[in-house]
Amino acid sequence: MGENEGSYRAIQTPGTRLGAQFNAGISTLEPGQSLTAAMGPGGKGPSRGLQLRVQSLDESQEFYDLDPRADGETLLTEVFTRSNLIESDYFGLEFQNTQMNWVWLEPTKLIVKQVRRPKNTLFRLSVKFFPPDPGQLQEEHTRYLFSLQMKRDLIEGRLACTENTATLLASHLVQSEIGDYDDVADRDFLKLNKLLPNQERVQERIMELHRRHLGQTPAESDFHVLEIARKLDMYGVRFHPAADREGTKINLAVAHIGLQVFQVTSSAATITRTQSCKCVHTNGCMHREGPHQDTLEFLMASRDLCKVFWKNCVEHHSFFRLFDQPQPKSKAIFFSRGSSFRYSGRTQKQLVEYVRDNGARRTPYQRCVAVYVHAFLQSICDFCPSFQPDSSMDSPQLSRFNSKSSPLCLSPSFQMSTLSLPGAGQVPSPLQSPILNEVGNSRLEEEEEGRRKRYPTDKAYFIAKEILTTERTYLKDLEVITVWFRSAVIKENVMPECLMTLLFSNIDPIYEFHRTFLKEIDQRLALWSGRSNAHVKGDYQKIGDVMLRNMCALKEFTSYLQKHDEVLAELEKATKRLKKLETVYKEFELQKVCYLPLNTFLLKPIQRLMHYKLILERLCKHYTPDHPDYNNCTEALKEVAEIATQLHTSLIRLENFQKLTELQRDLIGIENLTVPGREFIREGCLYKLTKKGLQQRMFFLFSDMLLYTSKGVTATNQFKVHGQLPLHGMIVEESENEWSVPHCFTIYSAQRTIVVAVSLEPESEDDMSLSHNSLDKQTQHRANTTMHVCWHRNTSVSMSDHSLAVENQLSGYLLRKFKNSNGWQKLWVVFTNFCLFFYKTHQDDFPLASLPLLGYTVSTPGESDTIHKEYVFKLQFKSHVYFFRAESEYTFERWMEVIKSAASATGRICLFMPKGPFERNGN
């Protein structure tokens, strides 16, 4: 090493990304305390107190001095406080019992009653509850610790996956710890840190993949690690050996979704994935009581092992399924029967609300870029054998030492962007929220420009990426039913068993299929993207083979999709018949996760077929017949077109039924809208001539009648029906000259005659507060449904518009900029139901803001806008102006296309306006 000259690249040890100082050993001394002062008489340590050793996820160890009578909660609180861990309920402390099995420290019991030799026991901080989507984790610190858990599981062989997936995970972990690729630094890091059991064999592959992550920040690396890991079958799985009634060896596991049973001979194949269960244990047997009250027995090796697993089931059920923390059971006066064990922490719902509501009081978390002290000092030792680093040297001393030695090369990717809140005097924008604030620096802009240059420019890549981005949104939409709504009805026990079976037995298999499908698309796009994949063996710049394979598999679910008619109808009947179910249904619709009318989500599986068809049509149109991906794409298109044709009539019927049931809940004064044969045609705002002059009314046109309503002033924000006119025998005449009212016509019916007019003036800006930030305030009724937006924007929407909007759904990342600002902010944007919904990332469970598009105009920026960037479109309503940047020409054109289909109100208003002389003559 003597001939090596120049600067050294800083190399980190595990945990330094969090700012942890170099730890040459384990020290429990207080600042300024000497070793002799800390020793008791005779050189022995103090005998009072309980000294416990805890290992963090970054493998560092610390000691905690507690009272001998301290319970588990005391130690947990100390660990979480010292770690500055806010989302602490996801974590726990585990230790090995006398049988060498890892068990969780119970908060409510004394430590000395749980652990035989506490002073000699290593407690390990670990993730206890693995959420279905790591996007539910709101803190960057929490996501970092979760990624360290994935790292630990990889090393210990718990996170079973293919070699390709393991190397991809390892490459993101390397990027997270040391930043951008450097050949020497990579080899040094992988030499010092074990990430995979077979690391030496795949080291070159890890480095190849790491090279592609140029510019990726540590937070982004954590996201990638968690996004890949959560799709694996073994994500969060902890095996508990057992046997079934026949004596067959199996492994049991419990997760957010319920009880899982694995064959011992095939660790990747799940026999049973029970969505909800109630587990009871007796001696060495575990009984699983399912939704049909069937009982399955699992035999475990001992009563203690059985009880450990049973406690895990209780805790997982409480954390993921309950809304509120379960109350402790009162102790029996004379004698007790059964276990008193209860889950003692917050539920996931309570935790999410706590973190969200206390965001302003959080202690700032910032990643520190520390030097790779161990390797650096080792290099110094190689040059100067007489130099020995002092183990008590603290971080400032090391920093001073390093600054005097050689300059350190730190990756620019560790310079994190900061978010600045708008000033107190700033006029609030419709899209501003405490979380969706503006980025006021140019760092993000520079990073995005770098990304654009690295991504492929082939249009086929961006068409394939649209499949990926919309599939992510689609899977989230399915989770509204399979995870969130299921949890609500199970908690209150309000849904009949037959309906539970009908609903979830139809949608659960579809959800599981699309989880696997999304995983395949994600992996293919990861290989396709990057500056070049010419060095990768195999042709990954295609999507047709993945689509063909999955479109063929999707045909197996046709029978499930055909039952959606029955599911929607039975759910509607049950909510009318059972008041408690109706209450839970309405309360669930007020949750932010249910950002659309609930029954809308039940239509998503059939609508998704139409999306596949349209995207594949664009891909086939782009390819030439001699392209290697053309044949597979063409065959995939044929397969999905066949299924879509079979279900097209059913989709039309479902969309109509869904719209009628939605209106039934929003209208007061009409008993039954969902009569057989009735079709919804149009809804819109008109002005009715009354004794007080022209009064705003909301009209609803059906195939057999016309309703007109006024907006209620009640807390429910519903519309009250004022008139119901049958279409049979109805006459409509233009009457502008008769009443001297512009754009006026008269409606004659058997019951009454009314005069209405179309207003060409949209609402004033002051009246838009109800529809702009509807998701920032938990109102009693969702204010961005189309009827409310039509009311505020003086426009109308037809059923054909609704169908077109369904076809034009789109998702993806966009950069957003306000009219009078300099910075761009990256947001995950979803277009559906004539509205843009905004998220910080695609992992988020609910949108943080929304923008109804009816009445907006969309265009490219003009010279006065001073926007000098590519692929930018402008949205404007009066003085409200937003600019959005897409990543490519294709995505720019797609966003313009879908927004134009929803934004412009002119075409809809013209349908109500009387024709001019030229239109009457057909000229």
Side-chain angles (χ1 to χ4, degrees):
M1 297 181 66
E3 68 272 10
N4 291 339
E5 295 181 356
S7 62
Y8 294 93
R9 179 182 172 88
I11 305 180
Q12 293 175 299
T13 49
T16 53
R17 232 184 63 200
L18 288 178
Q21 66 183 38
F22 167 66
N23 195 357
I26 300 173
S27 174
T28 60
L29 301 181
E30 297 294 327
Q33 185 181 20
S34 66
L35 181 63
T36 55
M39 302 291 286
K44 295 182 179 180
S47 58
R48 291 179 298 172
L50 190 64
Q51 191 178 65
L52 305 173
R53 184 164 49 112
V54 177
Q55 178 176 294
S56 299
L57 279 158
D58 62 3
E59 306 305 324
S60 63
Q61 296 183 10
E62 295 190 43
F63 281 93
Y64 293 81
D65 288 312
L66 302 179
D67 186 272
R69 299 292 295 172
D71 57 15
E73 183 66 37
T74 304
L75 178 58
L76 285 165
T77 302
E78 287 284 330
V79 172
F80 296 151
T81 302
R82 194 178 296 186
S83 304
N84 191 24
L85 189 54
I86 295 175
E87 295 177 284
S88 56
D89 298 79
Y90 288 110
F91 300 85
L93 291 176
E94 57 179 351
F95 64 94
Q96 286 184 303
N97 60 15
T98 53
Q99 290 78 36
M100 301 306 291
N101 295 313
W102 286 100
V103 295
W104 294 106
L105 182 70
E106 293 184 31
T108 57
K109 292 176 64 175
L110 296 180
I111 296 175
V112 293
K113 288 193 174 182
Q114 300 182 66
V115 188
R116 189 171 184 179
R117 296 178 179 176
K119 293 184 179 180
N120 298 329
T121 299
L122 175 67
F123 294 89
R124 197 164 73 164
L125 180 67
S126 301
V127 175
K128 189 173 187 178
F129 301 113
F130 292 80
D133 188 345
Q136 296 171 330
L137 307 176
Q138 302 178 62
E139 291 284 307
E140 182 186 337
H141 186 189
T142 311
R143 292 191 291 269
Y144 172 59
L145 293 179
F146 262 72
S147 73
L148 290 180
Q149 181 70 59
M150 298 304 104
K151 175 183 173 183
R152 179 189 287 176
D153 289 352
L154 271 175
I155 297 171
E156 295 179 353
R158 284 180 168 182
L159 192 62
C161 56
T162 64
E163 187 175 281
N164 286 339
T165 302
T167 53
L168 183 59
L169 281 167
S171 70
H172 284 296
L173 289 168
V174 175
Q175 176 75 18
S176 174
E177 291 292 350
I178 71 174
D180 289 343
Y181 172 83
D182 179 273
D183 188 79
V184 175
D186 275 36
R187 295 185 188 280
D188 288 344
F189 178 84
L190 293 172
K191 182 179 179 180
L192 291 169
N193 297 274
K194 190 174 181 63
L195 302 179
L196 302 175
N198 59 337
Q199 185 165 299
E200 293 76 14
R201 184 164 59 84
V202 296
Q203 178 170 313
E204 295 301 320
R205 176 64 175 154
I206 295 173
M207 294 170 63
E208 278 183 24
L209 292 171
H210 180 210
R211 189 195 300 267
R212 302 183 191 178
H213 307 328
L214 180 66
Q216 188 171 286
T217 65
E220 290 174 329
S221 298
D222 293 341
F223 264 126
H224 284 297
V225 169
L226 299 181
E227 186 64 20
I228 296 169
R230 79 176 180 98
K231 299 169 187 174
L232 299 174
D233 291 333
M234 296 296 112
Y235 166 70
V237 169
R238 301 294 181 261
F239 282 153
H240 296 259
D244 59 18
R245 284 185 175 182
E246 287 73 33
T248 304
K249 290 184 178 181
I250 56 175
N251 280 316
L252 300 179
V254 62
H256 69 278
I257 203 168
L259 185 66
Q260 296 173 290
V261 183
F262 294 84
Q263 284 182 334
V264 174
T265 54
S266 176
S267 60
T270 304
I271 304 173
T272 305
R273 178 168 295 201
T274 306
Q275 304 302 331
S276 61
C277 64
K278 178 182 177 183
C279 291
V280 294
H281 77 89
T282 55
N283 297 324
C285 293
M286 175 69 67
H287 301 272
R288 196 272 296 171
E289 297 180 3
H292 302 291
Q293 297 303 312
D294 57 325
T295 301
L296 301 180
E297 277 190 18
F298 306 113
L299 185 66
M300 308 190 87
S302 68
R303 182 182 183 277
D304 289 341
L305 290 176
C306 185
K307 193 168 184 177
V308 166
F309 182 62
W310 171 74
K311 288 179 178 180
N312 275 343
C313 292
V314 172
E315 291 183 315
H316 274 77
H317 176 84
S318 302
F319 183 77
F320 287 110
R321 299 299 177 86
L322 299 186
F323 283 5
D324 301 314
Q325 182 177 346
Q327 297 300 316
K329 190 176 181 180
S330 59
K331 292 185 178 180
I333 299 176
F334 298 106
F335 60 88
S336 63
R337 182 175 180 270
S339 174
S340 61
F341 177 77
R342 293 290 184 276
Y343 172 66
S344 59
R346 288 174 292 204
T347 66
Q348 187 184 33
K349 179 179 181 293
Q350 290 176 318
L351 178 59
V352 169
E353 291 175 349
Y354 169 78
V355 176
R356 184 181 65 238
D357 297 341
N358 292 273
R361 296 194 290 274
R362 298 179 197 173
T363 303
Y365 165 68
Q366 185 175 4
R367 296 170 191 257
C368 297
V369 185
V371 295
Y372 234 104
V373 182
H374 179 76
F376 186 81
L377 295 184
Q378 186 61 49
S379 299
I380 298 295
C381 293
D382 289 340
F383 285 112
C384 304
S386 60
F387 173 80
Q388 293 296 329
D390 181 3
S391 63
S392 63
M393 189 181 292
D394 59 15
S395 295
Q397 290 173 315
L398 286 172
S399 299
R400 289 193 293 273
F401 170 78
N402 288 326
S403 63
K404 292 176 183 178
S405 303
S406 303
L408 302 176
C409 304
L410 301 181
S411 167
S413 66
F414 285 94
Q415 305 299 321
M416 303 298 293
S417 300
T418 58
L419 299 178
S420 58
L421 291 170
Q426 188 174 339
V427 178
S429 162
L431 295 188
Q432 285 180 346
S433 74
I435 301 177
L436 281 181
N437 45 27
E438 181 186 352
V439 175
N441 55 42
S442 60
R443 175 67 188 163
L444 175 61
E445 189 172 330
E446 293 170 1
E447 289 181 358
E448 288 303 315
E449 288 295 340
R451 279 180 210 284
R452 293 166 197 270
K453 294 176 182 178
R454 295 196 305 274
Y455 280 151
T457 56
D458 182 16
K459 182 179 178 179
Y461 168 77
F462 293 105
I463 298 176
K465 191 172 183 180
E466 183 180 335
I467 301 174
L468 172 64
T469 56
T470 52
E471 188 74 11
R472 283 173 174 164
T473 296
Y474 170 57
L475 203 64
K476 282 287 185 184
D477 287 343
L478 290 182
E479 287 177 357
V480 173
I481 301 291
T482 61
V483 177
W484 299 97
F485 184 58
R486 185 205 309 272
S487 176
V489 296
I490 287 177
K491 179 199 172 188
E492 300 296 335
N493 192 25
V494 294
M495 186 176 285
E497 218 170 279
C498 57
L499 181 57
M500 283 279 290
T501 303
L502 176 64
L503 172 57
F504 295 113
S505 64
N506 272 282
I507 201 166
D508 285 342
I510 296 171
Y511 172 68
E512 292 299 328
F513 168 79
H514 285 281
R515 282 185 63 196
T516 306
F517 181 32
L518 176 61
K519 185 192 308 181
E520 287 190 49
I521 306 172
D522 203 2
Q523 291 172 346
R524 177 58 56 86
L525 267 292
L527 291 170
W528 194 336
S529 62
R531 290 170 294 177
S532 171
N533 69 351
H535 61 283
V536 181
K537 294 180 180 179
D539 180 14
Y540 296 111
Q541 294 183 339
K542 59 182 182 180
I543 196 68
D545 57 328
V546 177
M547 294 302 293
L548 177 58
R549 182 167 58 254
N550 284 278
M551 292 306 100
C552 290
L554 199 56
K555 294 175 71 174
E556 299 177 10
F557 295 95
T558 306
S559 59
Y560 291 100
L561 298 172
Q562 288 171 337
K563 288 184 180 179
H564 275 51
D565 268 335
E566 183 185 357
V567 171
L568 211 59
E570 290 300 320
L571 182 60
E572 181 64 17
K573 289 178 185 177
T575 53
K576 288 181 179 179
R577 187 177 71 256
L578 304 170
K579 291 298 180 184
K580 197 172 180 182
L581 176 59
E582 183 185 27
T583 301
V584 170
Y585 189 109
K586 289 180 177 179
E587 288 177 352
F588 182 76
E589 281 201 315
L590 298 180
Q591 302 298 317
K592 288 186 177 182
V593 71
C594 188
Y595 67 103
L596 299 172
L598 177 59
N599 55 13
T600 302
F601 295 100
L602 291 171
L603 274 62
K604 296 290 183 180
I606 301 182
Q607 292 170 345
R608 187 61 180 150
L609 295 173
M610 312 304 167
H611 303 159
Y612 294 143
K613 179 174 177 288
L614 292 170
I615 296 174
L616 283 168
E617 284 174 350
R618 283 195 291 273
L619 201 55
C620 291
K621 186 177 180 181
H622 167 70
Y623 284 140
T624 57
D626 59 344
H627 192 281
D629 205 24
Y630 178 80
N631 288 335
N632 280 336
C633 287
T634 303
E635 289 301 316
L637 176 58
K638 288 179 182 177
E639 294 290 340
V640 74
E642 181 182 338
I643 312 172
T645 301
Q646 292 179 29
L647 296 168
H648 181 68
T649 304
S650 179
L651 177 59
I652 294 174
R653 188 168 58 251
L654 280 168
E655 288 177 344
N656 182 69
F657 184 78
Q658 182 278 323
K659 186 62 182 176
L660 292 176
T661 54
E662 177 191 331
L663 292 176
Q664 183 72 68
R665 289 183 173 84
D666 287 341
L667 300 180
I668 299 175
I670 182 81
E671 286 300 322
N672 187 16
L673 274 178
T674 57
V675 296
R678 177 173 290 158
E679 296 179 14
F680 169 76
I681 298 175
R682 177 178 288 276
E683 61 187 332
C685 181
L686 295 171
Y687 283 78
K688 180 178 177 289
L689 189 61
T690 68
K691 293 179 180 179
K692 297 180 181 180
L694 288 174
Q695 298 287 320
Q696 188 179 5
R697 296 287 183 265
M698 191 69 186
F699 281 73
F700 300 91
L701 178 62
F702 303 93
S703 57
D704 61 337
M705 67 174 177
L706 177 68
L707 297 180
Y708 61 93
T709 67
S710 63
K711 190 165 182 287
V713 293
T714 62
T716 57
N717 212 16
Q718 292 168 293
F719 285 82
K720 182 179 180 181
V721 176
H722 284 278
Q724 181 175 338
L725 309 178
L727 292 191
H728 182 70
M730 180 181 288
I731 300 174
V732 180
E733 287 185 355
E734 298 174 11
S735 51
E736 183 174 330
N737 296 331
E738 180 181 352
W739 295 98
S740 300
V741 176
H743 318 302
C744 171
F745 55 96
T746 304
I747 300 175
Y748 302 93
S749 77
Q751 298 175 338
R752 68 184 74 179
T753 300
I754 60 173
V755 178
V756 295
V758 178
S759 171
L760 295 181
E761 281 299 317
E763 63 163 352
S764 65
E765 294 175 41
D766 295 335
D767 295 330
M768 292 185 62
S769 59
L770 287 176
S771 59
H772 275 179
N773 244 359
S774 60
L775 294 174
D776 290 332
K777 298 177 181 179
Q778 198 80 1
T779 58
Q780 287 299 309
H781 189 86
R782 187 178 297 100
N784 61 356
T785 53
T786 51
M787 70 165 63
H788 288 83
V789 179
C790 287
W791 174 268
H792 289 288
R793 304 280 171 86
N794 287 327
T795 186
S796 70
V797 175
S798 70
M799 191 63 201
S800 60
D801 294 323
H802 279 283
S803 299
L804 185 62
V806 167
E807 293 181 359
N808 282 321
Q809 292 186 16
L810 192 61
S811 308
Y813 281 105
L814 290 174
L815 296 180
R816 182 202 63 183
K817 178 183 178 296
F818 293 113
K819 180 180 178 181
N820 298 316
S821 65
N822 296 320
W824 294 83
Q825 183 182 13
K826 186 177 182 180
L827 297 172
W828 177 259
V829 185
V830 173
F831 169 79
T832 185
N833 287 43
F834 310 101
C835 191
L836 293 179
F837 295 93
F838 298 90
Y839 306 71
K840 289 204 73 177
T841 72
H842 71 266
Q843 291 99 340
D844 294 349
D845 285 317
F846 54 82
L848 300 167
S850 64
L851 181 65
L853 293 175
L854 294 174
Y856 267 76
T857 58
V858 58
S859 62
T860 54
E863 291 185 8
S864 60
D865 295 315
T866 63
I867 302 291
H868 306 296
K869 300 293 181 184
E870 289 182 308
Y871 316 133
V872 177
F873 60 89
K874 174 182 178 181
L875 280 175
Q876 183 169 5
F877 181 89
K878 289 185 173 277
S879 64
H880 296 288
V881 178
Y882 310 100
F883 299 97
F884 294 93
R885 288 171 60 194
E887 64 176 336
S888 69
E889 182 180 3
Y890 170 79
T891 50
F892 165 77
E893 290 174 352
R894 284 288 293 136
W895 281 107
M896 287 285 285
E897 178 186 352
V898 300
I899 291 175
K900 280 181 178 178
S901 71
S904 176
T906 306
R908 298 188 179 91
I909 292 176
C910 287
L911 294 174
F912 280 111
M913 290 176 59
K915 295 182 179 180
F918 292 103
E919 293 175 288
R920 290 192 188 102
N921 296 332
N923 296 322

